[in-house]
């Protein structure tokens, strides 16, 4: 998929990330590689979470079991693949790109908002998925919309002001943008966007815990 996106957006549409002087198609490809890696973690969480409880009816009905572990396991599965992909991204940037600077040490920090955010989303989606089985069908189209609104193929500076009014509230956009800045472009972190994403992530996490605990007593009856 990275190769397809690079050919389409990098070679055919001559796509580039703004704010990067003399960026080549290879630089753009590495940017897509990093961005897609991060977004794939988000996408897998969105797609798999709605069925994490529904797919384990025996655990819900017959076993005294902390059901919160089911969406957490979904995050864990996606996280393993994400970490492997991140390692490949770092190797690719170190060997094919401009190398790694000191700003790369902040790369893990830019990813921090993802974990409370995705765990909260997983808890909400898994709980609602018990009662609304069509949520999983909506996850695919929602993931596609989110990908094109999260600055995967472009820089946030390229977004027209009218659209930025709404897209600036997308925490995934800030995580992807700051990750590229630190790991690829060796630029400082923009703390405002990252701080907003982290705060929103914990708000979503607390909301997810509340929703899951509120709906959990009815799981066995519905399943």
């Amino acid at each position: 998929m990275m190769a397809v996106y690079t050919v389409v957006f990098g070679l055919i549409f001559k796509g580039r990330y703004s704010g990067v002087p003399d960026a080549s198609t290879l630089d753009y490809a590495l940017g897509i590689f990093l961005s897609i890696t991060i977004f794939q973690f988000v996408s897998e969480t969105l797609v798999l979470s709605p069925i994490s409880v529904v797919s384990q009816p025996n655990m819900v009905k017959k076993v005294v079991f902390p059901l919160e572990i089911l969406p957490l396991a979904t995050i864990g599965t996606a996280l393993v693949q994400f970490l492997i992909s991140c390692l490949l991204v770092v190797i690719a940037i170190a060997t094919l790109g401009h190398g790694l600077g000191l700003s790369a040490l902040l790369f893990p920090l830019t990813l921090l908002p993802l974990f409370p955010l995705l765990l909260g989303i997983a808890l909400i989606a898994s709980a609602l998925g018990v009662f609304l089985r069509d949520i999983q069908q909506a996850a695919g189209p929602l993931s596609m919309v989110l990908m094109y609104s999260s600055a995967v193929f472009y820089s946030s500076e390229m977004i027209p002001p009218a659209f930025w009014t709404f897209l600036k509230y997308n925490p995934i956009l800030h995580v992807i943008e700051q990750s590229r800045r630190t790991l690829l472009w060796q630029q400082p972190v923009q703390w405002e966007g990252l701080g907003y994403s982290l705060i929103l992530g914990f708000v979503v996490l607390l909301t997810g815990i509340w929703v899951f605990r509120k709906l959990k007593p009815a799981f066995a009856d519905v399943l």
Side-chain angles (χ1 to χ4, degrees):
M1 292 305 299
M2 186 202 74
V4 170
Y5 289 138
T6 300
V7 170
V8 173
F9 293 101
L11 296 179
I12 298 178
F13 288 102
K14 307 298 182 183
R16 294 293 185 272
Y17 294 109
S18 66
V20 185
D22 302 323
S24 64
T25 301
L26 177 59
D27 294 327
Y28 186 67
L30 292 173
I32 291 181
F33 191 8
L34 173 58
S35 304
I36 287 292
T37 294
I38 295 172
F39 184 77
Q40 191 64 31
F41 184 29
V42 177
S43 179
E44 287 188 18
T45 301
L46 289 175
V47 173
L48 297 179
S49 294
I51 61 171
S52 60
V53 174
V54 174
S55 61
Q56 303 290 341
N58 291 333
M59 302 289 280
V60 176
K61 294 180 179 180
K62 300 179 180 180
V63 181
V64 178
F65 183 78
L67 297 178
E68 291 82 359
I69 290 181
L70 296 177
L72 184 61
T74 299
I75 294 288
T77 301
L79 178 61
V80 171
Q81 299 180 27
F82 173 65
L83 293 177
I84 294 173
S85 297
C86 280
L87 177 61
L88 295 176
V89 169
V90 171
I91 293 174
I93 293 173
T95 56
L96 302 176
H98 299 288
L100 302 175
L102 290 177
S103 61
L105 297 175
L106 296 176
F107 173 60
L109 184 63
T110 65
L111 300 177
L112 190 59
L114 283 179
F115 302 105
L117 177 66
L118 295 185
L119 182 54
I121 290 174
L123 288 168
I124 294 172
S126 61
L128 294 180
V130 176
F131 305 93
L132 305 172
R133 302 298 174 88
D134 291 336
I135 285 182
Q136 189 189 21
Q137 304 303 320
L142 176 62
S143 176
M144 185 65 66
V145 172
L146 188 60
M147 180 177 69
Y148 284 104
S149 62
S150 296
V152 171
F153 306 108
Y154 54 87
S155 300
S156 60
E157 291 86 352
M158 302 168 67
I159 301 174
F163 292 101
W164 179 248
T165 302
F166 303 99
L167 293 182
K168 66 182 179 181
Y169 296 110
N170 178 1
I172 308 301
L173 181 151
H174 294 291
V175 170
I176 290 176
E177 183 76 10
Q178 299 311 309
S179 296
R180 284 197 302 253
R181 288 177 63 88
T182 56
L183 193 60
L184 276 172
W185 317 135
Q186 302 180 15
Q187 296 175 353
V189 174
Q190 295 173 330
W191 297 105
E192 182 179 355
L194 195 65
Y196 159 77
S197 300
L198 186 60
I199 293 172
L200 181 62
F202 279 106
V203 170
V204 173
L205 175 58
L206 293 175
T207 303
I209 293 172
W210 180 83
V211 169
F212 195 92
R213 290 180 176 176
K214 194 75 174 179
L215 298 178
K216 182 169 67 172
F219 287 174
D221 295 333
V222 176
L223 295 178

